[in-house]
Structure formats: structure tokens, C-alpha cells
């Protein structure tokens, strides 16, 4: 075991910057970069670097140092680290990944390679939105099927939807393209349409039977008149769909009114059963 | 040495072609299984290993690794506990489950169904067959001696097909013989193969149920790759029936496709034409379901044109993806009605379904159904 020495302050040009990867969080200005055994780990744009001399056998120590430099790293940054670390066999990449809760295996390696083929704008967007490897899962089949995702990611970046919506849209889009749908049918035709509506439109295409049945059931509820449709709404909850009843009571007599309405709703639903559509 | 000599390997050439490499752990060398494999397979395919060749593998398998794992056979002793409850039993609050226990004598499968749940379950890049069946039988004996009068049902087809590699292992013969000593206990083989000839001559106590996972011919053709076709499965079941083995059928998973009604009507007709309710121990119905994380692996391996990967699936209670509940109900009722119309005596139950679906299909929970309550009656808890 090499004796642990204090880090040495050097000019960054004296160190190897081969691990450089894009990181959404900038390194604090004025703080020297950090290197281990001459390899810069963070602060790639700095002028000076604290170079730690650590025993290459001491993987845990190296991984711990790496972990301490970043509050969080997600799929984009980790993919770059995976790629750029290949020439540094002593760098404990698997252990470093595990410190960011990612188990490096063939599945992740394949995904990392596919992620780095995405246009840089898409990578930047996904890094900002903190996409995990699991969010990129549809990329495996898309890559295998040579699916061109350039226009898709261009639209996604422009619309800047939330991560949750974007990830859902990505999977639905990939599925639908591979099910034979044309790109033009699936990309947003107009900037007026919100990302939520885009998601909904894709859901309608991906789940045509369930959604068209839901739509018909919803229309049936509406057809029962305003009294019912003001409190009853057809909703889907996972593998079930049904009626959600909502009302607001501001005085005890409201309850009587709603209770009468509910009785009538039951009668009307029995006559005109929306579940029969399914 | 009886097992190593019985020439029950009709499909030997297929197996020789299927397996690219066979690893035999040196600790397994004295087992009948290892000796049999050494006799049957070409030596250049076999490697004797002192330690696990896959010990460095970590985490989930990639799609390529999963495909490859079907072609690599690893014979080794199993260090853990063989006998456990069916996974459905751990979700009793959500599902009605039928007291099934499982004995895993290996894992992975040489067939290739698009919906196979092993895709989200396995993390070993090889097909495992455990050589120490004697330990498994000792465990069973301990349990069976403790509860000889309880109607335990033990299946061997949870994480490996019970019979598709049985011509190589001949484990069926040892199990049938063992269960002869415990007539109240039931052994259940579950398969999509037609490999039954290797045990048909065995004396049995009518407590070995040979069961087939059955499906509409269109689904067998498009989703159950490398399995026996419907006619072959029915022929194999008839052979078992002739030798007085009780048979059972699992119409599971029911899969939606454009002509599903014709497909499943044909299946029901094929079964009711060839079997009577008295010949069939039970018929279980289940609809397509899988863990959400499995969908990516399935899409990668089978594309999006498959009836399974392109299906409309939604998250359900218990987190699995399932068809819309109303579609499940429609499919169950369609198949149930066909059986009922043929003969009300068919003994049918739903596998891994919620109480609501049970009640909407049968008008009652299984424990209240006179034909099924034996299957669902709570049994003593086994601690492993």
C-alpha cells in the first residue's frame, strides 16, 4: 500500500484531461480541479488542480474521492465516464457507478453506447432533466431497429416538457414507430399543442381500444345531463376504468341534494351502462 | 447406474445442437445427471469447472445475454432450499392463490416464449440444472413426513419447464417414485413440450399430475417459440391419460389478438373433444401479465409486432401490467362459458387473479366454490 500523501497543487496542463465529460453543474469558480494520479476527475475547465496520489489498488478510496466530487450524476454523464474511462484500466468504474446507484452490467454498457450516439442537443436536454438509465430503456430497441430519433428529440427539446412527461412520450413514440406508425403522425404538428396533449394523443394511438372505450363511456356520462356530469367523471386508474364522483359540501342540506342526485345517477347508469362499452 | 443407461433421449440431436457449451461443476461429477450428460454429449462441448464460471456476472442480463443463457448449460449442486411457496402466495392480500408449492430443480428454459416471466427474473447467464436432487428429495421427505395427510401440491415448473429437458435429467422418474410414498401429496409437472415417454412406464400412485400450458394455435405459433404445437401437446397428454396419470391444463396466458375468440374456441374444442372432466385434474385460466420492467427486454428480443409486446397493458394492483380489467373479464367469461356449455363438471380456476375478477367470473370467491375449495384451503405455513 502506497503511503497517503496530501494532494499536490499543479497546473492542469500537467495532468491528463482524458476523462472530460459534460456536466450540467458547473465546478465552483476559483476552486482548483481535482485529479487522481494525474487524471482529472472534476473541474476540467480550471487552471489549477489538486492531484491526489492514491494507490491504484485502493479502488474504494478512488471511488470515494470521485463520489465526493459530484452531488449527483445521471445517465448522460455516466455514459461519458464509461466511454472515456476505457483507457484507464486502474479507474474503478464499476465501483464509481455503484456509488451513484447504478450497477454496471452489459445492459447498462449497451445503453451507454447508444446514449452517446444521440445528438448533443438531446444529450444536453436529458442531462438537464436528469434522465436515468431506466428512462433511456426504449433506446435499446430503437438502436437495434435503426430508428432515427433526431426529429423526435428535436421536438422534445423544443417543447421542454417535464421529465415525467418526456420519458412517457419517449417510450410511446418508440413503441408506435416500431409498430409501423409514421414519424409525421407522431410528432407535434403545432406549437399550440401542449406536451400533455401530445402525451394524450400518443396514448390514444398506443392504446386505441381502451382509450376509445373510455372516450365513449365518458360521452355517455356527459349525455346523462349536466346534473350528473358535474359530479361524475369517467376516469382510468391503471387497468380499471370507472366513474369518479366528486362533490363539495358547504352546508348539511347539500348532502341531501347530492344523495338524491346519486340515487338518480345510479338509476340512469343502470339504464345506460357505460361499462358495457368495454 | 440405472439412469445413465436408459436410452430415453429421442431428441438428443436437437439438444446437442441447442446447447453450445455445457459446464459441469466438479462437485456434481458423481451425480447420475453429470454421468448421463458425459455419456450423451460430445466431449468438446463439455467443460469441468471447479468454480462457478459466471461468478463475476452481476445484475440483470442484457437481451443478448438472456438469449445466450438458453444455450449454455451449467450442472451444479444447489446450495439453498429447494422447496418453497408459489410467488402468488406472497400476494394473498391482492390475489386469490391456490396453495401451490414449488420445487426448483433448475432455472431457465430451452424454449422461448415472448411473454416468459423469466426475462425479468433471471440474472444468471446460463441454464442451470441442479445435480443434487437427492437433497431436494430429502427436503420434501422432511416436509411430507411432517404433514403426510395435508394435500400439498408441489410443482416443478416455476423457473424451468418440468419436462422439456427431462429426457436428459430423468428427474421425473425419481420424483414420481418418491411421491408414491405420499399419496395425499400431489406432484405436478408443467410443460409446453411433448416429452413424456421417458416416465410413462413408471408405477405411480395417481398423484402425479402432468399438466400443459395451453394456448390458441395462433399464439403457440407466434409467441411460444420452440415449444410443441397444440396437436403435439394434446397427443402427449393423451399418452399420459392412457397410463392413468391425471392431466391438467393451464390456459395461461390468455392473449388478445384479432381472432382471439376463434382461437380460444378452437383450443377449448380440442380439449373437450379429447378429454372428459373426469380425466382432467383441473384447468386454470390466466390472462397475460408481466412485471413492468420486463417490457423493454421483451421488445428488444421480440420486436413490437408481437401480440404480447404490442398489447394494451396497464399497471394493476400488485404492480404487474395487465389488460384492462373488462377485457380480462370478457376473455375469462368467454372461455369459461365454452367449458360450461360443454360440461358443467369441468374444474376451472383463475390463476393469479384479483378477487374482483374471480367474483365477476364465478360469482364467488374460490374458497366458496365446492369444486375448488380444496385447492384454496389454507395449509400450514412452511418455514424455509
Amino acid at each position: 500500500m502506497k503511503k497517503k500523501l496530501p494532494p499536490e497543487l499543479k497546473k492542469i496542463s500537467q495532468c491528463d484531461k482524458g476523462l472530460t465529460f459534460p456536466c450540467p453543474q458547473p465546478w465552483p469558480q476559483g476552486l482548483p480541479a481535482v485529479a487522481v494520479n494525474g487524471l482529472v476527475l472534476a473541474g476540467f475547465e480550471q487552471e489549477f488542480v489538486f492531484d491526489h496520489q492514491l494507490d491504484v489498488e485502493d479502488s474504494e478510496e478512488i471511488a470515494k474521492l470521485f463520489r465526493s466530487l459530484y452531488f449527483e450524476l445521471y445517465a448522460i454523464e455516466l455514459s461519458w465516464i464509461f466511454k472515456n474511462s476505457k483507457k484507464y484500466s486502474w479507474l474503478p468504474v464499476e465501483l464509481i457507478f455503484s456509488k451513484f446507484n447504478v450497477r454496471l452490467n452489459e445492459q447498462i454498457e449497451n445503453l451507454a453506447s447508444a446514449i452517446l450516439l444521440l445528438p448533443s442537443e438531446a444529450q444536453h436536454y436529458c442531462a438537464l432533466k436528469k434522465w436515468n438509465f431506466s428512462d433511456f430503456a426504449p433506446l435499446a430497441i430503437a438502436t437495434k431497429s435503426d430508428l432515427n430519433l433526431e426529429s423526435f428529440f428535436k421536438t422534445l427539446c423544443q417543447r421542454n416538457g417535464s421529465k415525467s412527461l418526456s420519458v412517457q412520450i419517449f417510450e410511446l413514440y418508440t413503441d408506435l414507430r416500431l409498430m409501423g406508425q409514421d414519424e409525421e403522425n407522431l410528432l407535434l404538428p403545432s406549437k399550440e399543442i401542449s406536451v400533455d396533449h401530445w402525451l394524450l394523443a400518443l396514448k390514444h394511438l398506443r392504446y386505441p381500444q381502451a382509450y376509445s372505450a373510455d372516450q365513449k363511456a365518458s360521452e355517455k356520462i356527459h349525455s346523462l345531463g349536466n346534473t350528473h356530469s358535474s359530479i361524475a367523471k369517467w376516469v382510468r386508474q391503471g387497468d380499471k376504468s370507472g366513474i369518479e364522483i366528486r362533490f363539495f359540501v358547504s352546508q348539511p342540506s347539500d348532502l341531501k341534494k347530492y344523495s338524491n342526485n346519486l340515487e338518480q345517477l345510479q338509476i340512469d347508469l343502470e339504464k345506460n351502462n357505460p361499462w358495457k362499452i368495454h | 447406474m440405472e439412469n445413465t443407461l436408459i436410452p430415453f433421449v429421442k431428441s438428443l440431436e436437437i439438444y446437442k445442437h441447442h446447447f453450445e457449451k455445457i459446464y459441469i461443476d466438479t462437485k456434481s461429477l458423481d451425480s447420475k445427471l453429470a454421468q448421463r450428460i458425459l455419456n450423451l454429449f460430445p466431449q468438446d462441448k463439455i467443460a469441468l469447472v471447479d468454480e462457478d464460471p459466471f461468478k463475476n456476472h452481476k445484475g440483470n442480463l442484457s437481451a443478448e445475454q438472456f438469449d445466450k443463457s438458453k444455450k449454455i448449460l451449467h450442472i451444479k449442486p444447489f446450495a439453498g432450499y429447494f422447496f418453497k411457496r408459489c410467488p402468488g402466495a406472497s400476494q394473498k392480500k391482492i390475489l386469490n392463490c391456490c396453495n401451490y408449492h414449488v420445487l426448483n430443480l433448475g432455472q431457465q428454459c430451452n424454449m422461448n416464449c415472448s411473454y416468459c416471466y423469466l426475462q425479468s427474473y433471471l440474472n444468471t447467464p446460463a441454464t442451470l440444472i441442479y445435480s443434487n436432487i437427492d437433497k431436494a428429495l430429502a427436503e420434501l421427505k422432511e416436509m411430507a413426513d411432517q404433514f403426510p395427510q395435508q394435500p400439498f401440491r408441489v410443482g416443478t415448473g416455476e423457473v424451468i419447464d418440468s419436462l422439456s429437458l427431462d429426457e436428459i435429467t430423468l428427474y421425473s422418474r425419481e420424483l414420481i417414485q418418491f411421491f408414491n410414498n405420499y399419496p395425499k401429496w400431489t406432484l405436478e409437472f408443467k410443460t409446453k413440450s411433448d416429452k413424456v415417454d421417458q416416465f410413462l412406464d413408471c408405477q405411480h400412485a395417481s398423484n402425479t399430475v402432468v399438466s400443459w400450458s395451453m394456448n390458441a394455435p395462433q399464439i403457440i405459433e407466434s409467441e411460444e417459440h420452440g415449444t410443441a404445437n397444440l396437436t403435439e401437446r394434446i397427443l402427449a397428454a393423451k399418452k399420459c391419460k392412457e397410463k392413468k396419470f391425471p392431466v391438467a391444463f393451464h390456459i395461461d396466458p390468455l392473449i388478445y389478438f384479432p381472432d382471439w375468440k376463434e382461437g380460444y374456441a378452437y383450443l377449448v374444442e380440442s380439449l373437450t373433444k379429447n378429454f372428459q372432466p373426469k380425466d382432467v385434474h383441473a384447468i386454470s385460466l390466466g390472462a397475460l401479465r408481466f412485471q413492468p420492467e420486463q417490457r423493454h427486454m421483451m421488445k428488444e428480443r421480440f420486436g413490437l409486432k408481437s401480440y404480447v409486446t404490442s398489447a394494451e397493458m396497464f399497471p394493476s394492483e400488485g404492480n404487474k401490467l395487465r389488460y384492462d380489467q373488462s377485457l380480462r373479464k370478457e376473455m375469462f367469461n368467454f372461455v369459461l362459458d365454452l367449458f360450461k356449455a360443454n360440461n358443467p363438471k369441468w374444474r376451472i380456476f383463475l390463476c393469479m387473479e384479483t378477487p374482483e375478477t374471480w367474483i365477476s367470473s364465478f360469482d364467488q370467491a374460490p374458497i366458496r366454490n365446492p369444486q375448488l375449495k380444496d385447492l384454496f384451503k389454507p395449509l400450514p405455513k412452511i418455514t424455509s
Side-chain angles (χ1 to χ4, degrees):
Chain A
M1 291 284 267
K2 210 194 268 182
K3 196 182 163 201
K4 201 173 169 182
L5 298 167
E8 194 183 337
L9 187 65
K10 291 177 177 172
K11 283 208 110 185
I12 205 162
S13 54
Q14 292 174 270
C15 286
D16 182 349
K17 294 210 296 176
L19 196 67
T20 304
F21 60 90
C23 187
Q25 295 90 34
W27 189 251
Q29 271 199 338
L31 191 68
V34 177
V36 65
N37 302 336
L39 177 67
V40 182
L41 303 181
F44 305 102
E45 303 305 317
Q46 303 306 92
E47 196 182 344
F48 292 97
V49 58
F50 275 128
D51 188 14
H52 295 249
Q53 293 303 308
L54 296 180
D55 187 342
V56 292
E57 304 276 301
D58 195 352
S59 304
E60 183 58 35
E61 196 63 22
I62 296 171
K64 257 164 65 183
L65 173 65
F66 195 104
R67 184 67 185 90
S68 69
L69 302 174
Y70 295 98
F71 179 62
E72 53 192 10
L73 287 178
Y74 293 92
I76 299 288
E77 303 93 74
L78 290 171
S79 298
W80 279 103
I81 293 170
F82 170 69
K83 179 180 180 243
N84 293 344
S85 64
K86 281 186 181 158
K87 48 190 168 188
Y88 310 105
S89 57
W90 55 271
L91 199 65
V93 185
E94 205 176 310
L95 197 55
I96 290 172
F97 270 52
S98 74
K99 303 241 176 247
F100 291 94
N101 300 318
V102 176
R103 183 177 259 191
L104 186 61
N105 53 31
E106 193 174 288
Q107 206 177 31
I108 297 292
E109 289 179 15
N110 293 345
L111 265 184
S113 307
I115 286 170
L116 297 182
L117 296 176
L118 291 175
S120 54
E121 191 192 4
Q123 287 186 36
H124 181 66
Y125 171 83
C126 296
L128 281 178
K129 297 286 177 191
K130 302 179 179 178
W131 281 35
N132 294 309
F133 280 105
S134 57
D135 301 324
F136 279 109
L139 199 55
I141 170 79
T143 308
K144 218 174 229 180
S145 315
D146 289 327
L147 193 63
N148 187 340
L149 295 167
E150 211 164 312
S151 310
F152 167 75
F153 273 109
K154 203 171 167 188
T155 314
L156 196 67
C157 299
Q158 281 166 358
R159 303 314 302 269
N160 196 22
S162 72
K163 175 187 168 181
S164 157
L165 293 180
S166 308
V167 168
Q168 290 181 68
I169 287 174
F170 177 43
E171 182 170 357
L172 290 168
Y173 176 87
T174 314
D175 278 6
L176 287 162
R177 283 299 312 279
L178 296 171
M179 286 163 82
Q181 293 267 359
D182 289 335
E183 185 178 80
E184 303 82 69
N185 295 341
L186 305 177
L187 294 176
L188 269 177
S190 146
K191 286 193 175 171
E192 309 303 309
I193 299 173
S194 70
V195 179
D196 302 69
H197 277 90
W198 187 14
L199 176 64
L200 197 62
L202 293 179
K203 280 186 175 173
H204 277 269
L205 289 169
R206 180 63 181 84
Y207 308 105
Q209 285 177 318
Y211 276 84
S212 95
D214 282 347
Q215 202 164 338
K216 282 180 194 154
S218 180
E219 283 161 12
K220 238 180 189 182
I221 303 289
H222 277 285
S223 72
L224 298 179
N226 282 344
T227 323
H228 291 331
S229 61
S230 64
I231 58 162
K233 193 177 157 199
W234 187 264
V235 291
R236 170 162 291 282
Q237 289 184 351
D239 63 335
K240 294 171 197 158
S241 51
I243 296 171
E244 187 179 80
I245 310 276
R246 271 187 179 195
F247 48 74
F248 181 74
V249 175
S250 60
Q251 53 188 335
S253 61
D254 287 353
L255 280 170
K256 181 72 186 159
K257 188 178 82 185
Y258 283 125
S259 138
N260 291 340
N261 284 351
L262 284 176
E263 270 177 38
Q264 188 55 45
L265 177 63
Q266 187 186 350
I267 294 165
D268 293 346
L269 286 175
E270 274 164 9
K271 273 193 246 161
N272 203 1
N273 187 344
W275 284 275
K276 286 224 167 124
I277 298 163
H278 278 262
Chain B
M1 292 296 282
E2 179 213 30
N3 278 347
T4 58
L5 300 175
I6 294 171
F8 276 129
V9 195
K10 281 190 182 167
S11 319
L12 185 59
E13 286 312 309
I14 296 171
Y15 295 130
K16 278 182 183 170
H17 183 254
H18 178 86
F19 288 113
E20 291 168 359
K21 191 80 197 169
I22 301 173
Y23 293 99
I24 301 179
D25 192 306
T26 46
K27 292 191 282 302
S28 297
L29 261 182
D30 289 340
S31 67
K32 287 181 208 165
L33 174 64
Q35 291 304 314
R36 190 162 159 83
I37 284 175
L38 285 166
N39 284 339
L40 293 173
F41 286 87
Q43 296 307 301
D44 60 337
K45 285 208 172 191
I46 299 175
L48 301 182
V49 288
D50 288 326
E51 54 180 23
D52 189 342
F54 310 105
K55 66 175 184 191
N56 291 329
H57 176 82
K58 288 181 189 125
N60 299 339
L61 299 176
S62 68
E64 291 77 16
Q65 285 173 321
F66 190 87
D67 287 335
K68 185 97 179 149
S69 73
K70 289 181 173 287
K71 301 193 173 287
I72 299 170
L73 184 58
H74 186 196
I75 308 298
K76 63 176 207 172
F78 181 58
Y81 202 76
F82 279 96
F83 187 58
K84 61 187 180 81
R85 299 193 81 177
C86 166
S90 63
Q91 296 190 62
K92 284 251 178 194
K93 282 188 184 152
I94 302 163
L95 308 172
N96 277 125
C97 197
C98 60
N99 290 319
Y100 201 64
H101 288 74
V102 290
L103 183 72
N104 292 327
L105 296 170
Q107 63 173 43
Q108 206 12 320
C109 180
N110 56 326
M111 297 177 284
N112 199 13
C113 298
S114 61
Y115 53 79
C116 178
Y117 91 105
L118 295 180
Q119 293 170 105
S120 61
Y121 181 87
L122 297 182
N123 53 18
T124 305
T127 300
L128 302 181
I129 299 184
Y130 304 123
S131 55
N132 49 343
I133 187 175
D134 46 342
K135 181 172 175 278
L137 295 180
E139 270 177 32
L140 270 181
K141 184 173 180 337
E142 196 186 320
M143 277 304 305
D145 287 344
Q146 204 181 338
F147 302 109
Q149 298 306 318
Q150 294 285 355
F152 276 95
R153 295 161 63 224
V154 182
T156 58
E158 187 205 15
V159 287
I160 190 165
D161 186 282
S162 300
L163 298 176
S164 71
L165 294 172
D166 194 55
E167 285 185 305
I168 300 175
T169 66
L170 297 179
Y171 281 168
S172 58
R173 301 180 68 87
E174 295 192 46
L175 289 165
I176 292 168
Q177 198 179 356
F178 176 88
F179 272 75
N180 283 343
N181 302 322
Y182 303 96
K184 293 266 179 189
W185 281 49
T186 306
L187 167 67
E188 183 171 323
F189 297 135
K190 189 171 175 183
T191 188
K192 287 193 185 92
S193 78
D194 58 353
K195 310 274 183 268
V196 295
D197 294 339
Q198 71 278 9
F199 64 80
L200 287 177
D201 65 317
C202 290
Q203 292 294 315
H204 63 90
S206 296
N207 61 343
T208 296
V209 178
V210 191
S211 78
W212 275 265
S213 171
M214 286 291 190
N215 225 310
Q218 297 91 323
I219 295 299
I220 293 177
E221 171 73 25
S222 71
E223 309 295 332
E224 298 183 345
H225 310 284
T227 62
N229 66 32
L230 179 60
T231 313
E232 289 164 339
R233 291 184 211 183
I234 287 177
L235 275 175
K238 284 172 83 173
K239 281 188 199 173
C240 291
K241 185 183 88 174
E242 279 158 23
K243 293 288 181 183
K244 310 277 187 239
F245 282 98
V247 296
F249 300 112
H250 306 281
I251 305 183
D252 190 2
L254 286 164
I255 292 177
Y256 178 87
F257 61 103
D259 297 322
W260 70 270
K261 286 189 179 172
E262 287 82 351
Y264 287 107
Y266 181 81
L267 170 63
V268 174
E269 193 194 334
S270 306
L271 293 176
T272 52
K273 229 167 50 186
N274 287 289
F275 301 91
Q276 299 294 314
K278 66 175 169 49
D279 306 322
V280 178
H281 178 72
I283 295 174
S284 72
L285 299 182
L288 180 65
R289 59 203 175 275
F290 49 82
Q291 294 292 346
E293 60 271 21
Q294 187 180 316
R295 69 195 191 278
H296 303 297
M297 165 86 86
M298 297 192 314
K299 289 172 193 174
E300 218 183 319
R301 297 185 64 237
F302 299 97
L304 261 295
K305 299 274 156 101
S306 136
Y307 293 129
V308 170
T309 54
S310 62
E312 296 189 29
M313 307 293 281
F314 300 93
S316 65
E317 269 184 87
N319 198 35
K320 280 185 184 169
L321 295 179
R322 295 174 191 264
Y323 290 128
D324 184 273
Q325 196 187 34
S326 53
L327 177 61
R328 285 182 356 241
K329 211 163 36 174
E330 187 187 351
M331 295 180 89
F332 287 140
N333 285 339
F334 178 79
V335 175
L336 281 170
D337 289 347
L338 290 173
F339 276 111
K340 279 184 211 158
N342 172 269
N343 190 331
K345 287 186 180 157
W346 289 107
R347 202 170 180 231
I348 305 175
F349 66 96
L350 303 185
C351 184
M352 294 221 179
E353 261 303 338
T354 57
E356 298 100 292
T357 315
W358 262 99
I359 290 163
S360 67
S361 300
F362 288 89
D363 299 323
Q364 58 194 348
I367 194 76
R368 303 198 183 282
N369 183 320
Q371 285 174 305
L372 299 173
K373 68 178 178 191
D374 286 351
L375 290 175
F376 287 80
K377 205 159 56 185
L379 290 176
K381 224 178 197 169
I382 291 172
T383 45
S384 51

